[in-house]
Amino acid sequence: MALKRVLAGATMALAVLAAGPVAAQKKISVLTWNIPVYEEKIKGWIADFKQIRPDITVEWIDKKGPELGPFYQTQSAAGTPPDIVNVQGALWLEYAANGALLDLGPYLAKEREVAGRFDPNFMKVWQFEGKQYLLPFYITKTLLFYNKEMFKEAGLSDPPKTFDEILSHAAKMTKGEKSGFLTANFDWLYWPLFAMNGVQLVTPDLKKAAFNTPAALDTLTKLAKATDSGAINKIAWTGRWVEPNGAFAAGTVGMLHIHAPAFFYVRGSGKWVNQDTLGVAAVPGGWSTPNSHALFISKASKEPDAAWEFLKLITSKKWAVTFGTTLNNLTGNIEADKEIMAHFKANDPLAARVLEVQMSNLDKITGNWPLARDSQVKEAFYTEIQNAVLGRKTPKEALDTAERNVNRVLSR
Amino acid sequence: MRRWINRYSITFGLIGLAVLGWNLYVAAHRDGLLTGRVAAADGSAIAGATVKVRERTMVSSEPRAEAKTDAQGRFRVEGLDYHHLLVEVEAQGFKPLPRQSVRLWFRGQNRALEAPLTMERAG
Amino acid sequence: MGRHPTWPIHLALVAVSFVMLVPFYWVLKTSVTGENIFSYPPSVVPRDVNLFYYVDVWYYIPFVRFLFNSVAVSAIAVVSNVVFNALAAYALTRRFPGRKWVILLFLSCMMIPFQATIIPAYLITQKLGLLNTHLGLALPLCSTIVCIFVYKASFEAVPRSLIDAARIDGVPDWQIIFRIMLPLSKPAIATNVILSFIWSWNSFLWPLIVTRDKAMQTLPLGLSTFLSYLENTTGALYAFCVMVLVPGIVLFLLAQREFIQGLTSGATKG
Amino acid sequence: MFQLIRTKRHRELALVALFLVPSLAIFTLYRIVPLFWNLGLSFTEWSPFKPAKFAGLYHYEEMLFYDDVFWTALWNTVVFMASAPIAIALALAVAMLVNGDIRGRNVYRAIVFLSYPLMTVAVGIIWRWLFDGKVGLINYVLRGLGLTEKGISFLDSFEWAMASVVVAAIWQVIGFFMIILLTGLQSIPRNLHEAAAIDGAGAWQRFRRVTLPLLRPSIFLCLVIGIINSFTSFDLIYVMTGGGPANATELLITYVYRAGFVKNQFDYAAALTVALFVFFLGLTWIANRASGGDAGAVETGE
């Protein structure tokens, strides 16, 4: 009798089985990176696009960071990649190196007005082997947040000017549960700590590792010592996003080296955060790693021209301003960014300060080498750095192993 | 007949009834109506105050409606198809009222705010 | 057994129950208070209780649609499991050349973790045109090797005389399975139903890859909406957990007697 | 006559084959073909965007000599599977308790089993917070008892991370193991116990000489489910620690996912899958050999 009931239930379920996707007429699909909250405005995109190309239906898909990569990989393997994709950091490099992305050069050449919209410093970030593959969607790069109260308690006033000052400031603020310094560690966000000591990751021709130098050894030894003494909170090297931001929001960490979107998370869950308690500054030497979001068109797209129209619409001044003011980010669209800065100066001075620091030192952008195997180099390098700072290997041993592994990836 | 009365049919029957009853209640009370009164600390009505209603979504909030209070300080807003509202009040000579959160059981539930929104006089 | 005092047993069992129930209480408490996970010390008694996080979950994700998808996928998986495993197990009790190789094949398949074969499995589903459908979601889970051998063990326990008598009366093979064999191995069915339901109800990575639009997603995928780092959604996250746990628990409490009785009325003999 | 027997024999063979077709088809499609696909892939350099290029043993060389995360993951997988016997022992203890004729035993049995029908992802979230370094309940209790003054952040420490994930996995599977073992216990005929008692065998001898041998099939079934569970605990680790801190809870299965999808290396992930398959195949062969060939419910003999 149990069997009969189960069978009855299942046949009902089978009957109501949704049929496979019916062959829709012309269609383009847009894949965005974890902005479900922006749904209303995205409906605005689609409505505006209806006027330009009524024959095209637009499918919007949103995936979280860790799920977007797998989703795009499997869809590409099946030959049905989404037409327009929003990616973060250097994920696009592998796709470009493997020829999965449409070269936007010809489109930009044809429409100078569109090419002129964007800040050249940021456009450079998305070029590979001389071709422009992406347009900026919203731009972020790393900077230094600091807890002014903890600074006062430790008798400090202005942010550190040199690498050693970062560590000495951090040491002064470390006691009990409190620690002095935290950095994000994914997508090369920690690299400015090495760049300010004159360390180069690879040779200019991107063929060989160039970081195994006395300067790098000195930096790594100091970082390891500071982590061991507790001045650098261990979460800096093991956490990803929620952990470092959570710790800084809890008010127990002196300085946080991360990219700008963290500000809105920290303010959201950190009751202590306001204009006089949260300091914002550039890292010593003004170095910063971009972790911007950009948009590309898949080469396997069946409607490249329609996709380009949609891309132009998203990055237009009107929608760029809407995006910037709604999700509190700058967009790389020069005109729009001016308006967004004005908006924040009027309504949210602290956010304006964050965005201002972010727009400074655009010539000191680092940590974004056009490496065809960026994620493998990143893994090979960071795994060893992590071993060193957590005291599981000596800095020398870690750097030698890292050099061996990175060279193996680069020579492939 | 007895064979069909067992734990399964009773449980799922009750669930079905509860759902039906709930939907009936919802259908009867869903004009998105919000009414209330704005008063000063001493209880006297504040006329002409602007009441702004925002919808609180998972991550942010969007302005949705506005209304003015009448002579008796009462306001009435309709067509609010949301389940979490934020109410702000501004009036001449009074400190602006910080956002009050109004939680509803379903979208568009009619709600009359019992306690008057009391505002302090500007300094 | 009465001679021994029973209070030590009760004490031990109460301790075990406490360890098992505390996490449930913790989830329930947080789903009604939505405590910020950074507040310390965690209050044991819930403060300012409100049920509105459940309302939030209802509107932030299409809960009924996700529940329906999960139930449909699990139903297909459970039914096909019971039928296919019984057929395969019955075949394995018969003598035929190459029987040993088929068993070895099944055993080695058990060693291939499904998560490791995602890309080829996805390509195959795509060629079958089953992407984004309930059948596509359920197909890889439609047969479980452990259950085939559980059936085989209980089929072999059925007295041969019964089968021979049926065969002499000219009863066709498939009727032998469904009329004689299966009714006698209720425990195998119960184990099979539990395992296939839980493994299909819980699957997270496969639906993540196969479903393309939100309307086809299953319950576990709804979870990722609440793991957003933009805002502190702890209350909604735990309310979602409670809403996801309840169907499984209600089903178990309702069918508990069948599950346990089915399992105990004839153990999986060697 | 001969004609009749041959057709009857053929008809039966055809029927047997027909019965095997559905299950075999599913396993071929979703296990065997993908395995060989991975085997082929592991010798090439492949990406979803362009045709593959032969790469010989490059991936295996990288796995064995250059990639120490592989060895950490292998070791972690062995450690995680070693938790299955612990879970079985605990489940057996609870099953023995519940098996006694005491009042309310059905309630106890239901409570312990409640954890199994849960969604692994939900279990992961619950335990991720219970183990939280600052606000978790476990730390709250430890501080209450004065065992530590500063909370231990379990999921961030190298010593405790794996242990915490194992505790969560055991918490989820103990209910189901208890049920299987309970069925084994209740199928042991009463008279065997009485006979042993009459011979003056104490509780411990009775357990070792009567209960344990007869429970072997149930225990082996739990072991098999335990090993398979170490595959499905992908979700638990994905939600609880994401393989962190620094690969301390990286299992082979989560490392395959990370290599394929996070590091964009499907060819390397394919090589890892082959290694995973060979490792488990070897393990089963040893387990089969160790348990004297008749592997309990999973028989291969005639």
Side-chain angles (χ1 to χ4, degrees):
Chain A
M1 52 30 197
L3 190 63
K4 227 183 267 88
R5 196 170 308 112
V6 165
L7 276 181
T11 35
M12 181 271 291
L14 275 174
V16 92
L17 189 62
V22 95
Q25 24 95 340
K26 274 199 187 162
K27 184 175 82 111
I28 63 170
S29 49
V30 183
L31 173 62
T32 53
W33 181 295
N34 192 21
I35 41 171
V37 72
Y38 200 58
E39 184 166 11
E40 254 180 68
K41 304 294 192 300
I42 289 180
K43 288 200 184 94
W45 290 351
I46 297 175
D48 282 10
F49 190 68
K50 210 84 185 126
Q51 268 86 42
I52 309 169
R53 293 289 296 269
D55 58 329
I56 307 263
T57 56
V58 181
E59 174 200 21
W60 172 54
I61 309 163
D62 184 85
K63 291 278 178 185
K64 303 197 86 51
E67 289 149 23
L68 188 126
F71 181 74
Y72 186 70
Q73 305 267 22
T74 44
Q75 295 292 328
S76 310
T80 59
D83 302 89
I84 298 167
V85 180
N86 155 210
V87 277
Q88 173 188 347
L91 185 59
W92 64 278
L93 266 166
E94 316 263 331
Y95 302 151
N98 287 314
L101 309 185
L102 185 67
D103 174 13
L104 301 183
Y107 290 92
L108 288 168
K110 240 195 340 264
E111 299 180 53
R112 299 302 323 151
E113 178 272 333
V114 175
R117 283 181 190 168
F118 306 105
D119 182 329
N121 288 311
F122 277 95
M123 284 292 265
K124 269 208 296 26
V125 171
W126 294 294
Q127 278 168 9
F128 181 71
E129 284 167 359
K131 294 201 184 79
Q132 183 73 36
Y133 283 109
L134 294 100
L135 298 183
F137 185 31
Y138 55 98
I139 47 174
T140 70
K141 63 187 180 63
T142 52
L143 61 149
L144 189 71
F145 296 106
Y146 58 100
N147 185 328
K148 283 185 179 170
E149 239 118 67
M150 284 180 69
F151 262 55
K152 264 196 225 83
E153 272 160 32
L156 302 164
S157 57
D158 40 26
K161 294 281 173 296
T162 65
F163 176 71
D164 294 332
E165 245 183 38
I166 294 180
L167 300 182
S168 60
H169 278 31
K172 288 203 188 87
M173 287 188 277
T174 307
K175 57 183 180 320
E177 277 217 319
K178 292 192 186 305
S179 53
F181 179 77
L182 246 179
T183 177
N185 59 54
F186 58 91
D187 290 352
W188 300 112
L189 291 180
Y190 59 92
W191 181 255
L193 295 174
F194 288 90
M196 66 181 73
N197 290 309
V199 180
Q200 298 293 335
L201 180 73
V202 282
T203 50
D205 63 4
L206 306 178
K207 285 280 180 289
K208 250 171 67 52
F211 55 79
N212 201 353
T213 60
L217 182 61
D218 174 51
T219 312
L220 197 52
T221 317
K222 285 181 185 160
L223 287 175
K225 226 185 257 102
T227 311
D228 186 45
S229 71
I232 300 182
N233 190 320
K234 219 151 56 97
I235 304 176
W237 312 113
T238 57
R240 180 169 165 80
W241 171 260
V242 176
E243 300 81 6
N245 286 324
F248 188 70
T252 58
V253 181
M255 293 177 277
L256 172 65
H257 172 241
I258 198 163
H259 58 308
F263 166 69
F264 300 98
Y265 181 90
V266 165
R267 184 163 66 171
S269 44
K271 295 291 171 293
W272 58 276
V273 172
N274 60 47
Q275 216 164 2
D276 351 321
T277 57
L278 181 70
V280 186
V283 188
W287 296 98
S288 68
T289 302
N291 199 269
S292 307
H293 280 251
L295 299 150
F296 67 70
I297 298 177
S298 304
K299 188 175 259 177
S301 159
K302 298 182 182 55
E303 301 289 340
D305 298 338
W308 170 251
E309 287 300 320
F310 199 84
L311 197 55
K312 274 199 308 182
L313 181 118
I314 301 179
T315 54
S316 64
K317 180 161 180 288
K318 167 193 171 196
W319 285 109
V321 170
T322 323
F323 188 90
T325 45
T326 314
L327 289 184
N328 313 323
N329 272 314
L330 292 174
T331 62
N333 178 321
I334 304 168
E335 291 310 316
D337 284 351
K338 286 203 192 79
E339 227 171 281
I340 295 168
M341 280 304 280
H343 163 83
F344 277 110
K345 279 211 172 63
N347 310 5
D348 190 344
L350 189 51
R353 176 86 184 98
V354 172
L355 297 179
E356 224 168 61
V357 170
Q358 194 171 195
M359 288 313 288
S360 64
N361 301 311
L362 288 181
D363 52 346
K364 289 280 185 65
I365 289 181
T366 172
N368 62 340
W369 310 271
L371 299 164
R373 287 194 177 69
D374 178 77
S375 58
Q376 289 160 44
V377 172
K378 193 164 52 180
E379 284 285 326
F381 180 74
Y382 184 68
T383 325
E384 294 310 321
I385 296 302
Q386 196 177 44
N387 286 334
V389 287
L390 295 176
R392 301 199 339 206
K393 273 187 182 174
T394 66
K396 186 75 193 98
E397 209 184 341
L399 282 176
D400 295 343
T401 327
E403 184 179 34
R404 186 173 70 106
N405 293 353
V406 166
N407 277 335
R408 187 165 186 278
V409 174
L410 290 178
S411 60
R412 192 157 150 198
Chain B
M1 181 49 194
R2 240 194 52 66
R3 226 166 63 71
W4 283 107
I5 300 177
N6 59 39
R7 277 166 294 126
Y8 297 101
S9 58
I10 292 172
T11 323
F12 291 114
L14 282 177
I15 293 173
L17 273 178
V19 166
L20 187 67
W22 173 257
N23 283 330
L24 286 178
Y25 176 80
V26 164
H29 299 79
R30 250 204 87 106
D31 325 315
L33 194 62
L34 182 71
T35 56
R37 211 170 75 80
V38 178
D42 57 13
S44 61
I46 302 173
T50 41
V51 177
K52 289 199 192 109
V53 179
R54 299 175 71 90
E55 179 207 5
R56 178 77 167 81
T57 60
M58 186 160 87
V59 201
S60 67
S61 70
E62 308 282 342
R64 288 296 183 220
E66 253 185 49
K68 283 264 189 283
T69 54
D70 62 14
Q72 287 79 25
R74 278 199 305 278
F75 64 89
R76 174 189 169 88
V77 186
E78 271 173 19
L80 296 169
D81 189 13
Y82 317 108
H83 65 282
H84 187 180
L85 307 175
L86 298 174
V87 178
E88 292 163 335
V89 186
E90 281 152 7
Q92 281 300 340
F94 289 90
K95 283 204 200 96
L97 192 72
R99 279 182 188 171
Q100 311 268 328
S101 161
V102 175
R103 283 286 206 156
L104 305 174
W105 289 108
F106 50 86
R107 281 202 168 151
Q109 182 187 3
N110 301 339
R111 188 60 168 298
L113 298 177
E114 306 77 22
L117 303 172
T118 48
M119 297 177 77
E120 288 152 32
R121 292 206 181 286
Chain C
M1 289 294 276
R3 272 179 294 101
H4 300 289
T6 58
W7 66 265
I9 297 177
H10 274 291
L11 187 68
L13 281 176
V14 162
V16 167
S17 307
F18 179 77
V19 167
M20 296 306 282
L21 285 181
V22 156
F24 285 102
Y25 169 72
W26 200 257
V27 167
L28 211 60
K29 176 181 83 59
T30 317
S31 74
V32 288
T33 59
E35 230 171 319
N36 176 336
I37 54 175
F38 297 107
S39 68
Y40 190 81
S43 63
V44 182
V45 175
R47 289 196 305 269
D48 58 61
V49 172
N50 74 69
L51 294 175
F52 290 112
Y53 292 109
Y54 291 88
V55 177
D56 285 344
V57 169
W58 188 268
Y59 285 113
Y60 289 158
I61 55 167
F63 190 80
V64 180
R65 178 70 201 183
F66 284 1
L67 184 64
F68 169 71
N69 289 341
S70 279
V71 166
V73 169
S74 292
I76 300 171
V78 166
V79 168
S80 38
N81 246 294
V82 168
V83 173
F84 293 163
N85 295 345
L87 292 179
Y90 178 75
L92 289 183
T93 56
R94 316 293 303 145
R95 297 285 169 280
F96 60 91
R99 175 169 172 284
K100 195 153 171 33
W101 293 110
V102 170
I103 291 178
L104 268 182
L105 185 71
F106 275 142
L107 271 179
S108 50
C109 280
M110 201 151 59
M111 289 310 131
I112 309 169
F114 179 61
Q115 282 93 348
T117 58
I118 288 285
I119 286 281
Y122 173 82
L123 292 174
I124 292 166
T125 317
Q126 194 245 341
K127 289 205 175 39
L128 295 173
L130 289 176
L131 278 186
N132 222 14
T133 62
H134 291 127
L135 193 57
L137 278 171
L139 204 52
L141 308 160
C142 280
S143 184
T144 331
I145 300 160
V146 178
C147 300
I148 292 178
F149 287 107
V150 166
Y151 269 118
K152 179 168 160 310
S154 65
F155 282 175
E156 270 151 6
V158 170
R160 295 213 59 77
S161 54
L162 258 178
I163 304 166
D164 299 342
R167 182 148 294 125
I168 291 160
D169 300 347
V171 172
D173 271 285
W174 63 271
Q175 265 187 355
I176 291 180
I177 298 176
F178 289 101
R179 281 257 145 49
I180 303 167
M181 294 283 215
L182 275 181
L184 283 176
S185 41
K186 273 218 276 336
I189 300 176
T191 318
N192 197 336
V193 167
I194 302 176
L195 277 184
S196 52
F197 169 76
I198 283 158
W199 280 340
S200 61
W201 183 258
N202 271 351
S203 77
F204 176 72
L205 183 60
W206 180 244
L208 177 74
I209 304 283
V210 166
T211 55
R212 181 169 171 123
D213 47 39
K214 221 168 168 55
M216 283 309 291
Q217 287 187 348
T218 57
L219 274 177
L221 296 184
L223 177 82
S224 59
T225 321
F226 298 102
L227 287 182
S228 112
Y229 61 79
L230 281 178
E231 266 302 314
N232 174 6
T233 54
T234 313
L237 173 66
Y238 281 83
F240 174 79
C241 276
V242 170
M243 287 164 89
V244 156
L245 304 187
V246 162
I249 290 176
V250 162
L251 191 68
F252 167 67
L253 290 179
L254 270 181
Q256 187 197 6
R257 203 144 36 77
E258 273 88 352
F259 281 165
I260 311 284
Q261 194 220 343
L263 275 175
T264 47
S265 72
T268 54
K269 285 186 219 38
Chain D
M1 177 46 190
F2 182 71
Q3 188 66 17
L4 183 69
I5 296 169
R6 205 153 52 67
T7 51
K8 187 162 151 341
R9 185 86 177 97
H10 277 309
R11 201 163 47 73
E12 202 193 299
L13 281 183
L15 210 64
V16 162
L18 187 68
F19 286 163
L20 279 175
V21 156
S23 286
L24 271 183
I26 288 173
F27 293 132
T28 321
L29 266 181
Y30 285 99
R31 300 288 164 96
I32 298 163
V33 165
L35 182 71
F36 286 108
W37 196 85
N38 271 325
L39 193 62
L41 191 66
S42 65
F43 293 103
T44 65
E45 232 181 270
W46 182 82
S47 87
F49 312 108
K50 61 179 171 47
K53 190 153 64 76
F54 184 72
L57 288 173
Y58 179 85
H59 296 302
Y60 292 100
E61 184 200 355
E62 175 169 354
M63 180 162 59
L64 298 175
F65 304 112
Y66 284 84
D67 186 358
D68 48 22
V69 176
F70 168 72
W71 296 105
T72 328
L74 189 65
W75 171 247
N76 287 343
T77 308
V78 171
V79 164
F80 194 81
M81 277 171 17
S83 75
I86 301 169
I88 293 171
L90 289 173
L92 185 53
V94 174
M96 302 275 282
L97 287 173
V98 171
N99 196 26
D101 47 15
I102 45 168
R103 274 194 328 288
R105 74 181 187 158
N106 289 353
V107 172
Y108 287 125
R109 187 175 54 194
I111 289 175
V112 176
F113 187 69
L114 261 189
S115 66
Y116 198 70
L118 305 187
M119 207 162 269
T120 317
V121 176
V123 171
I125 289 176
I126 301 171
W127 283 94
R128 184 171 76 168
W129 196 25
L130 289 176
F131 276 122
D132 184 81
K134 292 241 170 358
V135 289
L137 183 63
I138 294 174
N139 273 315
Y140 183 62
V141 167
L142 288 178
R143 280 194 200 161
L145 302 174
L147 295 176
T148 67
E149 66 305 325
K150 201 156 73 63
I152 311 163
S153 58
F154 293 96
L155 298 180
D156 283 335
S157 77
F158 292 96
E159 308 80 26
W160 296 101
M162 181 50 96
S164 327
V165 172
V166 163
V167 163
I170 290 180
W171 181 83
Q172 186 182 17
V173 86
I174 194 168
F176 189 60
F177 282 0
M178 178 198 73
I179 294 289
I180 296 177
L181 293 169
L182 203 58
T183 64
L185 279 175
Q186 280 165 1
S187 70
I188 296 174
R190 269 249 163 296
N191 47 39
L192 279 180
H193 274 295
E194 268 100 28
I198 292 160
D199 298 349
W204 172 246
Q205 276 93 1
R206 263 191 292 118
F207 173 77
R208 218 160 36 70
R209 285 215 323 280
V210 174
T211 320
L212 215 50
L214 284 171
L215 266 185
R216 211 144 60 78
S218 308
I219 290 175
F220 190 82
L221 183 61
C222 292
L223 202 63
V224 166
I225 292 178
I227 291 178
I228 293 179
N229 253 0
S230 72
F231 297 156
T232 54
S233 50
F234 168 86
D235 314 345
L236 196 67
I237 291 182
Y238 181 83
V239 169
M240 270 182 89
T241 60
N247 305 318
T249 55
E250 195 81 67
L251 299 185
L252 274 180
I253 187 64
T254 55
Y255 190 50
V256 162
Y257 173 83
R258 205 154 71 83
F261 290 103
V262 176
K263 287 163 72 175
N264 297 332
Q265 287 176 285
F266 284 98
D267 33 27
Y268 187 55
L272 284 171
T273 317
V274 172
L276 189 70
F277 175 60
V278 167
F279 169 68
F280 277 115
L281 206 59
L283 205 72
T284 344
W285 187 75
I286 297 164
N288 206 344
R289 197 42 81 259
S291 64
D294 66 338
V298 187
E299 235 166 8
T300 56
E302 282 311 304

